[in-house]
Amino acid sequence: MRITRPAPAAYRRIATEEAFAPKELIDIYRKILQQKTVDPGFANLMGFYMSSPSERARHIMSCLLDLDEQRIRHMDEAGVDMQVLALTSPGVQIMDRDTAVAFAPLANDLLAEAIARHPTRLAGMIAVAPQDPAAAAKEIERCVSKLGLHAVVINSHTHGEYLSDPKFWDIFEAAEAHDTPIYLHPNAMPASMIGHFLEAGLDGAVYGFGVETGLHALRIITSGALDRFPKLQIILGHMGEALPFWSYRLDYMHAATVRSKRYDAIKPIGRKPSDYLKDNFHITCSGMAWPQAIKFTQDLVGTDRVLYAMDYPYQHAVEEVHALDAMDMPAEVKRAFFQTNAEKLFKIAPL
Ligand code: 1DF
Ligand code: MN
């Protein structure tokens, strides 16, 4: 079935979790996939897309690699005015430290060149290597000052390690200092976690991504990092990886756990978990074009913190744009959702 092109709207549609992959990245991934031992999540994710003859895999690879004619055409056909791009998951985070530190700037330069070719259609996020937090902080500085990029993407854990560990906090310090939000995007689950998900075929975007990325966000909250970096903004996709729906129970059980002194890791923090969701997080509807969930989340965290995303090419679905255009929502709120919240958060110049 061919779906009609969404008509121009009273707002710019800015999609905020859109993926790309330069050929140079795929070449490195191919080498990693040929190694004797390969991370099972990575093998099942990019190993699948890079080798499967299925129509989905071939479409995704073709879309990831293109930053020009085909991408702009797909955007036009979907009524997407602008894409905020991020190096596809796992970005450089599956690489060894030296390769990751060397490749992140190349990826960021390629991204900046594509944005320069299509300045009204593309914006982007800074790829960094958490394997070397000091180098990541420097790359944030370089990309803000030299390339005009104003957000960072981190694909959840890095070799099984979480940003709740203070050893990574140079990254938080740089992000807070440069006012660059961090998009905490899913990664394949670490090997230590993936077993029961993989055997059931539930490790990926269907469920496992949300579990693992939600855990990551929660670990950041309970670590106290957001008391130390109170202005830091973290972006979660997929309707906040379900954390808004969890927030009542999180608040109750977190407080009960603190009082019982049951875990060293659960110590008093400044506020309730849901307070951090309201002050330190922005949430996109990537993969969740579902008006009831969007409105519930707007009600919890505020209409200025919920943004549109498509998750191209992984959820390249034009009918979802129609569904979201049709949401029963005040015009100003819908404009905030599609346009102005993204302009503010990613420092995109209004047209
Ligand atoms: C998938 C989904 C892959 C998302 C992604 O990056 C990704 C998928 C490799 O469906 O396999 O970013 N996603 O965000 O939902
Ligand atoms: Mn995504």
Side-chain angles (χ1 to χ4, degrees):
M1 184 179 66
R2 199 152 184 323
I3 291 140
T4 58
R5 177 185 298 232
Y11 38 81
R12 250 208 299 186
R13 299 186 192 93
I14 303 178
T16 58
E17 188 197 307
E18 316 309 307
F20 79 104
K23 181 185 168 300
E24 293 84 344
L25 178 74
I26 300 301
D27 290 342
I28 295 173
Y29 283 177
R30 197 159 280 120
K31 282 195 198 132
I32 294 173
L33 289 164
Q34 283 159 3
Q35 289 168 359
K36 276 201 298 293
T37 55
V38 184
D39 175 81
F42 180 65
N44 193 50
L45 183 63
M46 291 317 288
F48 170 75
Y49 289 121
M50 287 167 57
S51 66
S52 165
S54 67
E55 191 183 332
R56 172 172 170 82
R58 284 184 293 116
H59 178 73
I60 283 173
M61 289 311 296
S62 154
C63 293
L64 285 174
L65 286 158
D66 184 285
L67 283 167
D68 294 285
E69 189 276 325
Q70 175 176 276
R71 181 174 296 258
I72 301 293
R73 178 162 48 79
H74 285 167
M75 290 168 64
D76 290 342
E77 287 167 3
V80 170
D81 296 290
M82 194 163 207
Q83 283 191 345
V84 183
L85 298 169
L87 195 62
T88 201
S89 186
V92 304
Q93 290 166 249
I94 192 68
M95 301 174 192
D96 65 72
R97 176 171 161 279
D98 291 349
T99 309
V101 169
F103 189 73
L106 292 178
N108 293 328
D109 289 347
L110 290 170
L111 173 58
E113 286 163 20
I115 294 169
R117 292 194 299 276
H118 307 284
T120 63
R121 305 305 301 277
L122 302 179
M125 298 184 234
I126 302 162
V128 295
Q131 293 92 325
D132 185 338
K138 270 202 205 143
E139 181 61 4
I140 293 172
E141 206 288 311
R142 183 186 79 93
C143 290
V144 170
S145 60
K146 302 258 161 54
L147 303 184
L149 299 173
H150 298 292
V152 177
V153 60
I154 295 189
N155 296 295
S156 197
H157 74 93
T158 303
H159 296 306
E161 294 190 305
Y162 289 88
L163 300 175
S164 46
D165 185 332
K167 78 177 190 185
F168 291 113
W169 290 3
D170 280 2
I171 299 172
F172 287 165
E173 189 178 337
E176 188 186 52
H178 294 289
D179 192 25
T180 49
I182 295 176
Y183 205 122
L184 192 67
H185 182 278
N187 189 354
M189 286 182 158
S192 55
M193 188 191 289
I194 201 169
H196 293 289
F197 292 82
L198 195 54
E199 73 187 12
L202 296 173
D203 54 297
V206 59
Y207 184 62
F209 283 4
V211 172
E212 199 274 337
T213 311
L215 169 73
H216 196 156
L218 206 45
R219 286 184 65 139
I220 292 170
I221 291 172
T222 57
S223 73
L226 299 170
D227 294 332
R228 172 91 175 274
F229 305 102
K231 295 208 188 82
L232 185 65
Q233 295 298 318
I234 296 173
I235 310 169
L236 290 175
H238 317 102
M239 230 56 254
E241 312 296 1
L243 292 182
F245 200 75
W246 272 94
S247 64
Y248 181 96
R249 186 164 170 82
L250 290 173
D251 286 351
Y252 185 92
M253 284 299 174
H254 180 263
T257 308
V258 168
R259 279 196 305 274
S260 71
K261 300 192 168 65
R262 182 171 171 184
Y263 298 95
D264 283 345
I266 299 290
K267 46 193 179 313
I269 53 175
R271 291 170 292 152
K272 297 198 294 276
S274 67
D275 290 331
Y276 297 97
L277 287 180
K278 294 168 190 176
D279 291 340
N280 296 93
F281 286 81
H282 287 72
I283 290 173
T284 83
C285 74
S286 55
M288 281 276 212
W290 187 10
Q292 290 96 322
I294 291 167
K295 289 184 201 181
F296 172 80
T297 306
Q298 286 175 329
D299 190 42
L300 182 78
V301 302
T303 54
D304 55 342
R305 289 184 175 271
V306 182
L307 294 80
Y308 170 63
M310 176 180 269
D311 213 352
Y312 176 92
Y314 298 102
Q315 196 151 337
H316 182 195
V318 179
E319 66 274 23
E320 296 181 348
V321 179
H322 287 288
L324 295 176
D325 274 345
M327 281 192 294
D328 178 20
M329 188 174 282
E332 265 319 291
V333 176
K334 208 182 285 182
R335 197 165 107 94
F337 169 75
F338 271 110
Q339 176 186 343
T340 53
N341 291 345
E343 288 172 345
K344 215 185 295 166
L345 188 60
F346 296 99
K347 301 188 176 72
I348 296 167
L351 277 181

